[in-house]
Amino acid sequence: PQCFWCPARRLGRVTEVFRTPLPGSSVAGPATDPDLDLWRNLPIAQQPTWSEHADYSASIAELGSRPPLVFAGEVDILRARLAAAAQGKAFLLQGGDCAETFDGATADKISARVRTILQMAVVLTYGSSMPVIKMGRMAGQFAKPRSSNDETRDGVTLPAFRGEIVNGFDFTPESRAHDPKRMVTAYNTSAATLNLIRAFTQGGFADLRSVHSWNQGFMANPAHSAYEQLAGEIDSAIRFMDACGADFEALKRTEFFASHEALLLDYERALTRTDSRTGLPYDTSGHFLWIGERTRQLDHAHVDFLSRVRNPIGVKLGPNTSVEDTLALIEKLDPTREPGRLTFITRMGAKNIREKLPNLVEKVTDSGAQVLWVTDPMHGNTVTSQNGYKTRNFDDVMDEVRGFFEVHDELGTFPGGLHVEMTGDDVAECLGGADPIREEDFDNLYESVCDPRLNHRQSLEMAFLVSAALKK
Ligand code: PEP
Ligand code: MN
């Protein structure tokens, strides 16, 4: 009989250990399941015209050979968290740029954004007395749907800007040309962003006590005196926990998930991998992916492709969404009615939400599906300012949030989350707020390359207002 400790035997055991896949890791290279390519035979909206480009195949192959950005095990954890939210036991906070940019992936901007989301989350946790799931529109939010394929300026027509994963923002023929190599830059930028997010949220930056102390800066502004009482209550709650000997070690770290609109299917397909544990395909470009209002056609490519990956999926629903389409989306994307699988992100507009949302929610509830309902109070409230900027009024945004809560209150369903375009920086893109942004601020402080975002102060103000509403 072979000696257990003989070197050959030991070596065998070691190789075996290294061959055992890590939990939640994925098989190298893109998943090979042929169903993942059925979308290629379907109509598809909002895609670049680059399939004949000399760099197309090499870019796709390069993405396919890179490591996953997120792991299947993390995606499963998120699905469980979203299931709790769908059951009324957690609240989702999802925020970030309308369109991330490559140059915008700096340590300062990423930390300011993560910081603002953590600050908002503390305030919301207190108001809701529930865990808040923190999620960035970050580390992959590079592709944008557009209302027109072209843009004309002073008689010159060029392709529209489709997000930096496709072309550049500058209005020149070189910059606006569709370039598939940009997908690789988007992957690299996402990897760097995620690396920093992971470091910040696991390395002590997320300590509940410091996050709360950052809110003191917001409170120091006299314009925010209306929120003093709530801030004071949070302060006492944290001091009380501290005095009781709460485990603040555990509160130094937090989960933080990455999400983006899965618009560019070339990119999403190349990053889809087979999970080594379950053999199922996961889109490893982000934890949570959503389908936009312009690409949610039932028999089109986006719904087909996303129906075949295991990630939790969101769908944006605008004011003209029919009950029929909504129920058919559930049937396609969540046929087994698994809580956490499907999130509906409604973006009706403040004027429409009280009229349009109730019927959808009622019919979905009647169908027996347990979806998570989230409000996006941004996209139905976009207007153009007198001086020509795309903007949103803080009051309209808050009115849609209030409408969302009212509708769910009345129906006895759970208003499960908030999806916002925001930044941690001191920009001027949305009008109003307690320390108001005015149109004349736009010329100096408008930075967004796509839709207007709430700035740092407006984001926190929203968190305080929602928190106060949740507490009632
Ligand atoms: C967005 O989230 O930036 C967006 C384009 O949203 P929607 O699909 O709801 O218009
Ligand atoms: Mn947007």
Side-chain angles (χ1 to χ4, degrees), residues 109 387 389 425-429 437-448 453:
K109 282 188 192 297
N387 56 349
Y389 289 85
D425 302 327
D426 191 17
V427 301
E429 298 172 5
I437 295 294
R438 303 193 169 84
E439 292 200 352
E440 52 271 29
D441 302 322
F442 290 163
D443 284 334
N444 291 325
L445 292 172
Y446 197 105
E447 290 178 16
S448 175
R453 304 160 296 175

Side-chain angles (χ1 to χ4, degrees), residues 159-367:
F161 172 59
R162 292 194 168 272
E164 288 195 338
I165 195 167
V166 175
N167 58 3
F169 185 64
D170 286 350
F171 194 72
T172 63
E174 300 73 36
S175 146
R176 288 293 171 95
H178 295 181
D179 178 357
K181 292 195 296 302
R182 284 176 169 272
M183 285 190 284
V184 178
T185 312
Y187 169 92
N188 290 334
T189 310
S190 299
T193 302
L194 257 178
N195 181 55
L196 202 59
I197 293 176
R198 289 185 196 279
F200 280 148
T201 53
Q202 300 305 313
F205 182 84
D207 190 314
L208 183 62
R209 289 162 297 189
S210 6
V211 174
H212 176 64
S213 73
W214 300 334
N215 281 352
Q216 309 293 331
F218 172 81
M219 293 315 307
N221 183 338
H224 300 142
S225 59
Y227 311 115
E228 234 156 52
Q229 188 187 334
L230 193 51
E233 286 175 28
I234 299 175
D235 207 39
S236 332
I238 291 176
R239 277 188 281 116
F240 176 72
M241 280 164 68
D242 212 358
C244 295
D247 181 8
F248 277 99
E249 262 320 297
L251 297 175
K252 281 185 178 168
R253 285 175 295 280
T254 189
E255 290 177 347
F256 196 103
F257 300 97
S259 70
H260 62 267
E261 177 175 351
L263 182 66
L264 196 56
L265 291 192
D266 280 331
Y267 180 79
E268 305 303 336
R269 173 65 183 93
L271 286 168
T272 297
R273 305 292 152 81
T274 304
D275 172 26
S276 56
R277 305 162 307 166
T278 57
L280 297 171
Y282 284 69
D283 184 344
T284 65
S285 70
H287 300 104
F288 177 91
L289 304 159
W290 77 85
I291 306 175
E293 164 75 355
R294 293 179 183 82
T295 50
R296 60 171 175 73
Q297 303 86 346
L298 287 163
D299 46 357
H300 283 209
H302 289 84
V303 170
D304 186 86
F305 177 71
L306 287 155
S307 74
R308 299 175 194 284
V309 297
R310 267 303 273 156
N311 306 58
I313 302 298
V315 186
K316 292 281 202 93
L317 301 180
N320 299 322
T321 313
S322 68
V323 167
E324 207 181 18
D325 282 358
T326 309
L327 297 179
L329 282 166
I330 296 174
E331 202 50 48
K332 283 210 114 165
L333 294 168
D334 182 22
T336 62
R337 309 289 191 269
E338 179 187 15
R341 161 68 175 175
L342 185 58
T343 297
F344 280 141
I345 306 167
T346 62
R347 29 87 87 223
M348 303 276 161
K351 287 193 193 71
N352 301 316
I353 184 153
R354 293 172 180 84
E355 181 201 338
K356 307 266 182 169
L357 186 60
N359 192 35
L360 284 189
V361 174
E362 242 170 345
K363 296 296 174 350
V364 168
T365 310
D366 290 350
S367 81

Side-chain angles (χ1 to χ4, degrees), residues 411-433:
L411 296 172
T413 45
F414 182 61
L418 198 54
H419 177 119
V420 282
E421 289 184 339
M422 46 73 65
T423 165
D425 302 327
D426 191 17
V427 301
E429 298 172 5
C430 290
L431 291 167

Side-chain angles (χ1 to χ4, degrees), residues 50-109:
W50 61 24
S51 58
E52 308 292 317
H53 194 288
D55 297 318
Y56 177 76
S57 305
S59 304
I60 299 277
E62 181 159 2
L63 285 178
S65 69
R66 294 294 179 95
L69 289 172
V70 304
F71 299 103
E74 298 171 336
V75 173
D76 290 342
I77 290 173
L78 174 62
R79 198 181 325 92
R81 302 286 181 260
L82 295 174
Q87 289 157 345
K89 294 182 210 139
F91 190 80
L92 172 67
L93 172 63
Q94 188 176 16
D97 282 330
C98 177
E100 287 179 288
T101 60
F102 299 155
D103 284 350
T106 64
D108 284 351
K109 282 188 192 297

